[in-house]
Amino acid sequence: MSVETLKIDGDEYIKTAQTEEIPEGRGIAIDVDGIEIAIFNADGEFYAISNRCSHQSAPMCKAGEEKINAEHTWTKTRGRVDAEDCSVTCPWHLWKWDLESGKNEASGQRIATFDVTVEDDSVFVRI
Ligand code: FES
């Protein structure tokens, strides 16, 4: 299978998803050459960040995922995307990560972020 790529100023971006595959306020996980990346939609802006929280390796893509019990009488979400301050909160212990810098202010830790560009409704990420 061939990978669709895009060249911008000499940098190669890899096609990862269509914009409609990533709902507002949610994320998806992708694997590029063994690198786990979460791509989030924050009010129509797309961001790519490591899919593994550096605290205890939670899958960041689960932030904001809704869990519903069998009777549909209980729902719960953990973590969320906040477009206003451009952050995502980890679904396990709620550490907040800046989507642009990958920084968690409280711990001083940083996780990887990746440049993103959207072209013709396709989301491209530079690894
Ligand atoms: S695993 Fe993310 S805050 Fe603990």
Side-chain angles (χ1 to χ4, degrees):
M1 189 175 95
S2 70
V3 177
E4 193 174 329
T5 61
L6 186 68
K7 283 258 191 214
I8 300 176
D9 294 334
D11 293 322
E12 186 174 76
Y13 288 70
I14 296 169
K15 183 177 173 182
T16 57
Q18 294 296 116
T19 54
E20 70 264 14
E21 296 175 283
I22 312 171
E24 158 58 28
R26 291 299 323 280
I28 63 165
I30 61 159
D31 182 308
V32 180
D33 295 335
I35 303 170
E36 285 186 66
I37 300 171
I39 302 174
F40 290 102
N41 176 347
D43 201 18
E45 295 291 324
F46 292 85
Y47 298 91
I49 191 167
S50 170
N51 192 38
R52 290 292 156 187
C53 179
S54 69
H55 179 222
Q56 290 182 359
S57 300
M60 298 292 288
C61 65
K62 300 283 187 184
E65 184 176 85
E66 190 173 76
K67 297 177 178 162
I68 304 169
N69 71 354
E71 293 80 35
H72 288 255
T73 57
W74 171 91
T75 63
K76 184 177 183 181
T77 60
R78 291 281 292 179
R80 68 188 196 99
V81 174
D82 186 331
E84 213 160 279
D85 75 353
C86 193
S87 67
V88 60
T89 310
C90 178
W92 283 6
H93 312 105
L94 307 178
W95 285 23
K96 186 158 89 172
W97 299 95
D98 186 289
L99 284 167
E100 289 181 326
S101 68
K103 188 167 185 188
N104 168 258
E105 286 294 336
S107 69
Q109 293 182 30
R110 196 179 289 269
I111 57 178
T113 58
F114 305 87
D115 292 334
V116 175
T117 191
V118 175
E119 190 163 299
D120 295 332
D121 296 326
S122 294
V123 182
F124 290 83
V125 174
R126 183 169 77 93
I127 304 302

